[in-house]
Amino acid sequence: MYCSHCGMKIEDDAAICPHCYSKQNPMKQNDTGVFGYGILSLLVPIAGFVFYLIWKEERPKTAKVSLVCAIVSFALQIILILLFILFLFGILQVVANIG
């Protein structure tokens, strides 16, 4: 866990930060790397990047799943675009050779 005031890493059950002595309000969140956010990140990669930036401190497993799915989706989209361009140029060459 990180201090809500100074941002330093502290123990998960710390009530007071040992660095800046501010009171902590530890929130126990279930961070299991939720499957639904991974699917959403695959479908909308920018959402995965946003989820990662928002949750990288509070929910690191879910943030990592979202980031990985977004990167995979982005890479697949680039590959599909390149294949489509190659296919399109192949069709144009066939049409040019016929005409």
Side-chain angles (χ1 to χ4, degrees):
M1 175 168 94
Y2 294 90
C3 174
S4 59
H5 184 259
C6 69
M8 297 293 290
K9 187 163 181 65
I10 59 175
E11 295 292 325
D12 289 339
D13 57 347
I16 296 176
C17 174
H19 305 286
C20 67
Y21 304 106
S22 67
K23 183 179 176 183
Q24 301 299 304
N25 295 325
M27 298 184 333
K28 299 292 182 190
Q29 292 185 354
N30 188 10
D31 184 22
T32 58
V34 181
F35 180 73
Y37 290 113
I39 296 297
L40 181 61
S41 298
L42 279 172
L43 297 174
V44 185
I46 192 71
F49 290 118
V50 170
F51 289 150
Y52 173 74
L53 293 174
I54 292 173
W55 290 333
K56 64 183 177 183
E57 299 296 329
E58 298 99 29
R59 301 173 74 181
K61 289 180 184 175
T62 303
K64 184 178 179 181
V65 166
S66 297
L67 181 65
V68 167
C69 289
I71 290 170
V72 167
S73 176
F74 185 70
L76 287 175
Q77 288 178 8
I78 295 295
I79 291 169
L80 288 175
I81 289 170
L82 292 174
L83 287 174
F84 177 74
I85 290 171
L86 290 174
F87 176 75
L88 185 62
F89 280 126
I91 295 293
L92 290 177
Q93 280 185 334
V94 169
V95 171
N97 289 338
I98 293 174

